[in-house]
Amino acid sequence: MTLTLSITRKRAFAATALGLILVAGGAVAQQAAPNIMERTEWDNRRLDQLDRNVRRLERALTQRNAAGQPVLVEPDPEVVTLQGQMGLISQRLSDLESTVRRINGDNERLTFQLDEATRDNVALRNRLVDAENRIQKLETAAELNAPIEANSPTGDAGQDLAAAVRLLSSDRPRGVRALETVAITWPNTPQGREANARLGDLRVAANDKAGAVPYYATALKDWPRIGWAGDTTLKLADALFATDRKTQGCAALGEFTRRYAPTANDAQKARATQLRTAGGCG
């Protein structure tokens, strides 16, 4: 009876991993496998010795087969078990790689969808902010362009004027409207006159001296004896000269001389002289 011999030509594996059982004439010869847990330091001498042993083993097997004494070579059961486990591990690794690739693909799709959602949210937020700004501008324009009516938030002319001046420093358009409201609500009071004088100053600051004239004229109606009246009279004369109203400008300077010059400071007197000369007043 002849058995087929299957042997791997890798000599290192044949010398270290296989146990050979030789059956001949009822006697059993078993070659013990080396301890695979011990680390072998391979050098040229050991490799040459391994090569000689493998060749010797091949010759012995060939001679026994030729003599009709077949040799049965059985793999180490532990090696077979290990090979099976390695197969299972390879399959599990392959499955794990497939899962990782699928997860990576899902992550890429989710990232793309998240980026799109973020862009959409930014666009919607920008549109919302723009709409809110436009609505606020419309509301502000409607508020500032509405007819001015007499109204006293505090019921006191002095407090109303002080509140309007404070608002002017933080919100100019609403502050101007507050001054106009004070001027209408308290027309014949020192506070109402001062509100008109301040409105005239705002027109001059905006390079609108023609627009300043009516406010100054209203503030100085009947030429009140108020501390700011003399300075405001000079401002009125300057605005009249700037708008080619020489006669009225010289008349305003005449009122300054008669009513306010006695209590005016040196700067105001010098300003009056300058305006009179520039305006050609006699």
Side-chain angles (χ1 to χ4, degrees), residues 1-7 18-24 27-31 57 60-62 64-65 68-76:
M1 180 177 182
T2 302
L3 298 179
T4 303
L5 175 63
S6 176
I7 181 171
L18 296 179
L20 300 179
I21 302 176
L22 303 179
V23 182
V28 179
Q30 181 174 357
Q31 180 179 353
L57 178 61
L61 293 176
T62 300
R64 287 187 176 277
N65 286 333
Q69 297 177 350
V71 177
L72 176 64
V73 180
E74 296 181 351
D76 191 333

PDB file of all heavy atoms in Angstrom, residues 1-7 18-24 27-31 57 60-62 64-65 68-76:
ATOM      1  N   MET A   1       0.859  -1.185   0.000  1.00  0.00           N
ATOM      2  CA  MET A   1       0.000   0.000   0.000  1.00  0.00           C
ATOM      3  C   MET A   1       0.893   1.232   0.000  1.00  0.00           C
ATOM      4  O   MET A   1       1.820   1.372   0.773  1.00  0.00           O
ATOM      5  CB  MET A   1      -0.874   0.022   1.250  1.00  0.00           C
ATOM      6  CG  MET A   1      -1.785   1.229   1.312  1.00  0.00           C
ATOM      7  SD  MET A   1      -2.822   1.108   2.759  1.00  0.00           S
ATOM      8  CE  MET A   1      -3.774   2.575   2.521  1.00  0.00           C
ATOM      9  N   THR A   2       0.578   2.182  -0.909  1.00  0.00           N
ATOM     10  CA  THR A   2       1.409   3.389  -1.069  1.00  0.00           C
ATOM     11  C   THR A   2       0.620   4.603  -0.652  1.00  0.00           C
ATOM     12  O   THR A   2      -0.486   4.807  -1.106  1.00  0.00           O
ATOM     13  CB  THR A   2       1.862   3.555  -2.526  1.00  0.00           C
ATOM     14  OG1 THR A   2       2.571   2.401  -2.917  1.00  0.00           O
ATOM     15  CG2 THR A   2       2.756   4.783  -2.661  1.00  0.00           C
ATOM     16  N   LEU A   3       1.189   5.464   0.212  1.00  0.00           N
ATOM     17  CA  LEU A   3       0.563   6.718   0.646  1.00  0.00           C
ATOM     18  C   LEU A   3       1.267   7.860  -0.042  1.00  0.00           C
ATOM     19  O   LEU A   3       2.475   7.857  -0.214  1.00  0.00           O
ATOM     20  CB  LEU A   3       0.668   6.883   2.167  1.00  0.00           C
ATOM     21  CG  LEU A   3      -0.032   5.801   2.978  1.00  0.00           C
ATOM     22  CD1 LEU A   3       0.175   6.062   4.472  1.00  0.00           C
ATOM     23  CD2 LEU A   3      -1.518   5.750   2.657  1.00  0.00           C
ATOM     24  N   THR A   4       0.468   8.841  -0.419  1.00  0.00           N
ATOM     25  CA  THR A   4       1.036  10.028  -1.076  1.00  0.00           C
ATOM     26  C   THR A   4       1.641  10.935  -0.034  1.00  0.00           C
ATOM     27  O   THR A   4       1.001  11.227   0.974  1.00  0.00           O
ATOM     28  CB  THR A   4      -0.056  10.798  -1.843  1.00  0.00           C
ATOM     29  OG1 THR A   4      -0.646   9.913  -2.779  1.00  0.00           O
ATOM     30  CG2 THR A   4       0.547  11.992  -2.567  1.00  0.00           C
ATOM     31  N   LEU A   5       2.858  11.412  -0.292  1.00  0.00           N
ATOM     32  CA  LEU A   5       3.575  12.304   0.626  1.00  0.00           C
ATOM     33  C   LEU A   5       3.436  13.743   0.147  1.00  0.00           C
ATOM     34  O   LEU A   5       3.757  14.048  -0.989  1.00  0.00           O
ATOM     35  CB  LEU A   5       5.048  11.922   0.685  1.00  0.00           C
ATOM     36  CG  LEU A   5       5.944  12.850   1.511  1.00  0.00           C
ATOM     37  CD1 LEU A   5       5.523  12.825   2.960  1.00  0.00           C
ATOM     38  CD2 LEU A   5       7.406  12.408   1.353  1.00  0.00           C
ATOM     39  N   SER A   6       2.920  14.601   1.043  1.00  0.00           N
ATOM     40  CA  SER A   6       2.793  16.037   0.723  1.00  0.00           C
ATOM     41  C   SER A   6       3.654  16.800   1.703  1.00  0.00           C
ATOM     42  O   SER A   6       3.381  16.811   2.878  1.00  0.00           O
ATOM     43  CB  SER A   6       1.339  16.485   0.861  1.00  0.00           C
ATOM     44  OG  SER A   6       1.232  17.881   0.655  1.00  0.00           O
ATOM     45  N   ILE A   7       4.724  17.382   1.156  1.00  0.00           N
ATOM     46  CA  ILE A   7       5.657  18.102   2.049  1.00  0.00           C
ATOM     47  C   ILE A   7       5.954  19.454   1.458  1.00  0.00           C
ATOM     48  O   ILE A   7       6.119  19.594   0.265  1.00  0.00           O
ATOM     49  CB  ILE A   7       6.946  17.285   2.238  1.00  0.00           C
ATOM     50  CG1 ILE A   7       7.895  18.047   3.186  1.00  0.00           C
ATOM     51  CG2 ILE A   7       7.641  17.030   0.925  1.00  0.00           C
ATOM     52  CD1 ILE A   7       9.074  17.213   3.591  1.00  0.00           C
ATOM     53  N   LEU A  18       6.907  20.786  11.809  1.00  0.00           N
ATOM     54  CA  LEU A  18       6.300  19.473  11.541  1.00  0.00           C
ATOM     55  C   LEU A  18       6.978  18.393  12.388  1.00  0.00           C
ATOM     56  O   LEU A  18       8.194  18.350  12.539  1.00  0.00           O
ATOM     57  CB  LEU A  18       6.456  19.116  10.061  1.00  0.00           C
ATOM     58  CG  LEU A  18       5.728  20.038   9.060  1.00  0.00           C
ATOM     59  CD1 LEU A  18       6.005  19.557   7.638  1.00  0.00           C
ATOM     60  CD2 LEU A  18       4.244  20.005   9.342  1.00  0.00           C
ATOM     61  N   GLY A  19       6.157  17.552  12.883  1.00  0.00           N
ATOM     62  CA  GLY A  19       6.675  16.338  13.555  1.00  0.00           C
ATOM     63  C   GLY A  19       6.494  15.159  12.613  1.00  0.00           C
ATOM     64  O   GLY A  19       5.409  14.927  12.089  1.00  0.00           O
ATOM     65  N   LEU A  20       7.533  14.455  12.371  1.00  0.00           N
ATOM     66  CA  LEU A  20       7.461  13.365  11.386  1.00  0.00           C
ATOM     67  C   LEU A  20       7.440  12.020  12.117  1.00  0.00           C
ATOM     68  O   LEU A  20       8.218  11.782  13.049  1.00  0.00           O
ATOM     69  CB  LEU A  20       8.680  13.424  10.462  1.00  0.00           C
ATOM     70  CG  LEU A  20       8.834  14.741   9.664  1.00  0.00           C
ATOM     71  CD1 LEU A  20      10.096  14.681   8.807  1.00  0.00           C
ATOM     72  CD2 LEU A  20       7.616  14.936   8.793  1.00  0.00           C
ATOM     73  N   ILE A  21       6.515  11.206  11.671  1.00  0.00           N
ATOM     74  CA  ILE A  21       6.434   9.833  12.237  1.00  0.00           C
ATOM     75  C   ILE A  21       6.810   8.858  11.130  1.00  0.00           C
ATOM     76  O   ILE A  21       6.121   8.818  10.106  1.00  0.00           O
ATOM     77  CB  ILE A  21       5.018   9.527  12.755  1.00  0.00           C
ATOM     78  CG1 ILE A  21       4.627  10.575  13.828  1.00  0.00           C
ATOM     79  CG2 ILE A  21       4.917   8.130  13.283  1.00  0.00           C
ATOM     80  CD1 ILE A  21       3.210  10.413  14.328  1.00  0.00           C
ATOM     81  N   LEU A  22       7.866   8.164  11.293  1.00  0.00           N
ATOM     82  CA  LEU A  22       8.348   7.216  10.275  1.00  0.00           C
ATOM     83  C   LEU A  22       7.973   5.800  10.708  1.00  0.00           C
ATOM     84  O   LEU A  22       8.310   5.375  11.818  1.00  0.00           O
ATOM     85  CB  LEU A  22       9.871   7.343  10.118  1.00  0.00           C
ATOM     86  CG  LEU A  22      10.368   8.768   9.759  1.00  0.00           C
ATOM     87  CD1 LEU A  22      11.894   8.763   9.666  1.00  0.00           C
ATOM     88  CD2 LEU A  22       9.753   9.225   8.477  1.00  0.00           C
ATOM     89  N   VAL A  23       7.229   5.103   9.842  1.00  0.00           N
ATOM     90  CA  VAL A  23       6.811   3.735  10.147  1.00  0.00           C
ATOM     91  C   VAL A  23       7.621   2.811   9.248  1.00  0.00           C
ATOM     92  O   VAL A  23       7.474   2.870   8.024  1.00  0.00           O
ATOM     93  CB  VAL A  23       5.310   3.543   9.909  1.00  0.00           C
ATOM     94  CG1 VAL A  23       4.883   2.139  10.261  1.00  0.00           C
ATOM     95  CG2 VAL A  23       4.538   4.553  10.719  1.00  0.00           C
ATOM     96  N   ALA A  24       8.475   1.958   9.777  1.00  0.00           N
ATOM     97  CA  ALA A  24       9.286   1.031   8.972  1.00  0.00           C
ATOM     98  C   ALA A  24       9.600  -0.204   9.816  1.00  0.00           C
ATOM     99  O   ALA A  24      10.256  -0.098  10.846  1.00  0.00           O
ATOM    100  CB  ALA A  24      10.584   1.685   8.530  1.00  0.00           C
ATOM    101  N   ALA A  27       8.844  -0.533  13.573  1.00  0.00           N
ATOM    102  CA  ALA A  27       9.515   0.401  14.480  1.00  0.00           C
ATOM    103  C   ALA A  27       9.077   1.806  14.135  1.00  0.00           C
ATOM    104  O   ALA A  27       8.927   2.149  12.979  1.00  0.00           O
ATOM    105  CB  ALA A  27      11.034   0.264  14.337  1.00  0.00           C
ATOM    106  N   VAL A  28       8.888   2.644  15.140  1.00  0.00           N
ATOM    107  CA  VAL A  28       8.423   4.021  14.960  1.00  0.00           C
ATOM    108  C   VAL A  28       9.543   4.964  15.389  1.00  0.00           C
ATOM    109  O   VAL A  28      10.043   4.852  16.505  1.00  0.00           O
ATOM    110  CB  VAL A  28       7.163   4.305  15.772  1.00  0.00           C
ATOM    111  CG1 VAL A  28       6.739   5.744  15.560  1.00  0.00           C
ATOM    112  CG2 VAL A  28       6.055   3.357  15.352  1.00  0.00           C
ATOM    113  N   ALA A  29       9.867   5.858  14.443  1.00  0.00           N
ATOM    114  CA  ALA A  29      10.872   6.883  14.776  1.00  0.00           C
ATOM    115  C   ALA A  29      10.204   8.246  14.706  1.00  0.00           C
ATOM    116  O   ALA A  29       9.623   8.594  13.688  1.00  0.00           O
ATOM    117  CB  ALA A  29      12.055   6.802  13.789  1.00  0.00           C
ATOM    118  N   GLN A  30      10.255   8.947  15.737  1.00  0.00           N
ATOM    119  CA  GLN A  30       9.604  10.266  15.818  1.00  0.00           C
ATOM    120  C   GLN A  30      10.658  11.324  16.128  1.00  0.00           C
ATOM    121  O   GLN A  30      11.423  11.172  17.042  1.00  0.00           O
ATOM    122  CB  GLN A  30       8.541  10.296  16.905  1.00  0.00           C
ATOM    123  CG  GLN A  30       7.827  11.655  16.995  1.00  0.00           C
ATOM    124  CD  GLN A  30       6.683  11.601  17.986  1.00  0.00           C
ATOM    125  OE1 GLN A  30       6.404  10.560  18.540  1.00  0.00           O
ATOM    126  NE2 GLN A  30       6.061  12.746  18.191  1.00  0.00           N
ATOM    127  N   GLN A  31      10.667  12.339  15.234  1.00  0.00           N
ATOM    128  CA  GLN A  31      11.592  13.450  15.448  1.00  0.00           C
ATOM    129  C   GLN A  31      10.898  14.534  16.251  1.00  0.00           C
ATOM    130  O   GLN A  31       9.855  15.025  15.857  1.00  0.00           O
ATOM    131  CB  GLN A  31      12.039  14.020  14.089  1.00  0.00           C
ATOM    132  CG  GLN A  31      12.998  15.188  14.237  1.00  0.00           C
ATOM    133  CD  GLN A  31      13.437  15.701  12.866  1.00  0.00           C
ATOM    134  OE1 GLN A  31      13.107  15.086  11.874  1.00  0.00           O
ATOM    135  NE2 GLN A  31      14.173  16.794  12.868  1.00  0.00           N
ATOM    136  N   LEU A  57      17.002  14.489   5.317  1.00  0.00           N
ATOM    137  CA  LEU A  57      15.644  14.001   5.496  1.00  0.00           C
ATOM    138  C   LEU A  57      15.001  13.674   4.157  1.00  0.00           C
ATOM    139  O   LEU A  57      14.322  12.640   4.026  1.00  0.00           O
ATOM    140  CB  LEU A  57      14.813  15.058   6.224  1.00  0.00           C
ATOM    141  CG  LEU A  57      13.347  14.732   6.448  1.00  0.00           C
ATOM    142  CD1 LEU A  57      13.195  13.468   7.303  1.00  0.00           C
ATOM    143  CD2 LEU A  57      12.643  15.903   7.142  1.00  0.00           C
ATOM    144  N   ALA A  60      16.414  10.337   2.950  1.00  0.00           N
ATOM    145  CA  ALA A  60      15.867   9.195   3.698  1.00  0.00           C
ATOM    146  C   ALA A  60      14.467   8.876   3.242  1.00  0.00           C
ATOM    147  O   ALA A  60      14.088   7.701   3.081  1.00  0.00           O
ATOM    148  CB  ALA A  60      15.889   9.499   5.191  1.00  0.00           C
ATOM    149  N   LEU A  61      13.624   9.885   3.020  1.00  0.00           N
ATOM    150  CA  LEU A  61      12.259   9.653   2.572  1.00  0.00           C
ATOM    151  C   LEU A  61      12.235   9.023   1.192  1.00  0.00           C
ATOM    152  O   LEU A  61      11.430   8.121   0.907  1.00  0.00           O
ATOM    153  CB  LEU A  61      11.492  10.981   2.566  1.00  0.00           C
ATOM    154  CG  LEU A  61      11.232  11.610   3.924  1.00  0.00           C
ATOM    155  CD1 LEU A  61      10.546  12.962   3.749  1.00  0.00           C
ATOM    156  CD2 LEU A  61      10.367  10.709   4.795  1.00  0.00           C
ATOM    157  N   THR A  62      13.140   9.502   0.307  1.00  0.00           N
ATOM    158  CA  THR A  62      13.173   8.954  -1.058  1.00  0.00           C
ATOM    159  C   THR A  62      13.578   7.478  -1.033  1.00  0.00           C
ATOM    160  O   THR A  62      13.009   6.628  -1.752  1.00  0.00           O
ATOM    161  CB  THR A  62      14.156   9.757  -1.911  1.00  0.00           C
ATOM    162  OG1 THR A  62      13.732  11.130  -1.944  1.00  0.00           O
ATOM    163  CG2 THR A  62      14.184   9.222  -3.338  1.00  0.00           C
ATOM    164  N   ARG A  64      13.192   5.243   1.440  1.00  0.00           N
ATOM    165  CA  ARG A  64      12.129   4.412   2.005  1.00  0.00           C
ATOM    166  C   ARG A  64      10.992   4.233   1.004  1.00  0.00           C
ATOM    167  O   ARG A  64      10.418   3.149   0.919  1.00  0.00           O
ATOM    168  CB  ARG A  64      11.624   5.001   3.308  1.00  0.00           C
ATOM    169  CG  ARG A  64      12.608   4.837   4.447  1.00  0.00           C
ATOM    170  CD  ARG A  64      12.014   5.281   5.754  1.00  0.00           C
ATOM    171  NE  ARG A  64      12.946   5.018   6.854  1.00  0.00           N
ATOM    172  CZ  ARG A  64      13.081   3.850   7.483  1.00  0.00           C
ATOM    173  NH1 ARG A  64      12.321   2.831   7.124  1.00  0.00           N
ATOM    174  NH2 ARG A  64      13.969   3.696   8.452  1.00  0.00           N
ATOM    175  N   ASN A  65      10.657   5.287   0.288  1.00  0.00           N
ATOM    176  CA  ASN A  65       9.610   5.139  -0.731  1.00  0.00           C
ATOM    177  C   ASN A  65      10.042   4.169  -1.815  1.00  0.00           C
ATOM    178  O   ASN A  65       9.254   3.351  -2.297  1.00  0.00           O
ATOM    179  CB  ASN A  65       9.281   6.491  -1.349  1.00  0.00           C
ATOM    180  CG  ASN A  65       8.469   7.355  -0.398  1.00  0.00           C
ATOM    181  OD1 ASN A  65       7.753   6.814   0.454  1.00  0.00           O
ATOM    182  ND2 ASN A  65       8.571   8.685  -0.531  1.00  0.00           N
ATOM    183  N   GLY A  68       9.691   0.523  -0.863  1.00  0.00           N
ATOM    184  CA  GLY A  68       8.344   0.046  -0.561  1.00  0.00           C
ATOM    185  C   GLY A  68       7.935   0.257   0.863  1.00  0.00           C
ATOM    186  O   GLY A  68       7.029  -0.435   1.351  1.00  0.00           O
ATOM    187  N   GLN A  69       8.607   1.100   1.525  1.00  0.00           N
ATOM    188  CA  GLN A  69       8.256   1.411   2.906  1.00  0.00           C
ATOM    189  C   GLN A  69       7.732   2.852   2.961  1.00  0.00           C
ATOM    190  O   GLN A  69       8.494   3.790   3.213  1.00  0.00           O
ATOM    191  CB  GLN A  69       9.482   1.258   3.814  1.00  0.00           C
ATOM    192  CG  GLN A  69      10.020  -0.166   3.847  1.00  0.00           C
ATOM    193  CD  GLN A  69      11.283  -0.277   4.692  1.00  0.00           C
ATOM    194  OE1 GLN A  69      11.851   0.734   5.089  1.00  0.00           O
ATOM    195  NE2 GLN A  69      11.717  -1.520   4.945  1.00  0.00           N
ATOM    196  N   PRO A  70       6.432   3.035   2.683  1.00  0.00           N
ATOM    197  CA  PRO A  70       5.881   4.407   2.607  1.00  0.00           C
ATOM    198  C   PRO A  70       5.981   5.112   3.959  1.00  0.00           C
ATOM    199  O   PRO A  70       5.973   4.489   5.006  1.00  0.00           O
ATOM    200  CB  PRO A  70       4.432   4.177   2.207  1.00  0.00           C
ATOM    201  CG  PRO A  70       4.109   2.807   2.688  1.00  0.00           C
ATOM    202  CD  PRO A  70       5.383   1.998   2.533  1.00  0.00           C
ATOM    203  N   VAL A  71       6.061   6.403   3.848  1.00  0.00           N
ATOM    204  CA  VAL A  71       6.182   7.255   5.022  1.00  0.00           C
ATOM    205  C   VAL A  71       4.930   8.134   5.142  1.00  0.00           C
ATOM    206  O   VAL A  71       4.485   8.734   4.157  1.00  0.00           O
ATOM    207  CB  VAL A  71       7.436   8.148   4.930  1.00  0.00           C
ATOM    208  CG1 VAL A  71       7.514   9.085   6.132  1.00  0.00           C
ATOM    209  CG2 VAL A  71       8.679   7.273   4.833  1.00  0.00           C
ATOM    210  N   LEU A  72       4.360   8.147   6.296  1.00  0.00           N
ATOM    211  CA  LEU A  72       3.184   8.974   6.564  1.00  0.00           C
ATOM    212  C   LEU A  72       3.627  10.249   7.280  1.00  0.00           C
ATOM    213  O   LEU A  72       4.246  10.197   8.342  1.00  0.00           O
ATOM    214  CB  LEU A  72       2.181   8.212   7.437  1.00  0.00           C
ATOM    215  CG  LEU A  72       0.942   9.006   7.859  1.00  0.00           C
ATOM    216  CD1 LEU A  72       0.115   9.391   6.638  1.00  0.00           C
ATOM    217  CD2 LEU A  72       0.096   8.174   8.831  1.00  0.00           C
ATOM    218  N   VAL A  73       3.321  11.357   6.663  1.00  0.00           N
ATOM    219  CA  VAL A  73       3.669  12.651   7.253  1.00  0.00           C
ATOM    220  C   VAL A  73       2.384  13.332   7.706  1.00  0.00           C
ATOM    221  O   VAL A  73       1.488  13.573   6.898  1.00  0.00           O
ATOM    222  CB  VAL A  73       4.412  13.548   6.236  1.00  0.00           C
ATOM    223  CG1 VAL A  73       4.753  14.890   6.870  1.00  0.00           C
ATOM    224  CG2 VAL A  73       5.676  12.836   5.756  1.00  0.00           C
ATOM    225  N   GLU A  74       2.271  13.571   8.963  1.00  0.00           N
ATOM    226  CA  GLU A  74       1.081  14.204   9.517  1.00  0.00           C
ATOM    227  C   GLU A  74       1.435  15.603  10.052  1.00  0.00           C
ATOM    228  O   GLU A  74       2.425  15.762  10.750  1.00  0.00           O
ATOM    229  CB  GLU A  74       0.518  13.355  10.667  1.00  0.00           C
ATOM    230  CG  GLU A  74       0.043  11.992  10.223  1.00  0.00           C
ATOM    231  CD  GLU A  74      -0.516  11.195  11.387  1.00  0.00           C
ATOM    232  OE1 GLU A  74      -0.352  11.689  12.536  1.00  0.00           O
ATOM    233  OE2 GLU A  74      -1.096  10.129  11.165  1.00  0.00           O
ATOM    234  N   PRO A  75       0.626  16.590   9.743  1.00  0.00           N
ATOM    235  CA  PRO A  75       0.876  17.938  10.282  1.00  0.00           C
ATOM    236  C   PRO A  75       0.550  17.996  11.764  1.00  0.00           C
ATOM    237  O   PRO A  75      -0.261  17.231  12.267  1.00  0.00           O
ATOM    238  CB  PRO A  75      -0.073  18.835   9.481  1.00  0.00           C
ATOM    239  CG  PRO A  75      -1.197  17.915   9.079  1.00  0.00           C
ATOM    240  CD  PRO A  75      -0.560  16.570   8.858  1.00  0.00           C
ATOM    241  N   ASP A  76       1.175  18.904  12.427  1.00  0.00           N
ATOM    242  CA  ASP A  76       0.932  19.105  13.847  1.00  0.00           C
ATOM    243  C   ASP A  76      -0.504  19.593  14.037  1.00  0.00           C
ATOM    244  O   ASP A  76      -0.937  20.561  13.402  1.00  0.00           O
ATOM    245  CB  ASP A  76       1.916  20.146  14.379  1.00  0.00           C
ATOM    246  CG  ASP A  76       1.888  20.190  15.907  1.00  0.00           C
ATOM    247  OD1 ASP A  76       0.842  19.855  16.483  1.00  0.00           O
ATOM    248  OD2 ASP A  76       2.908  20.605  16.493  1.00  0.00           O
TER     249      ASP A  76
END
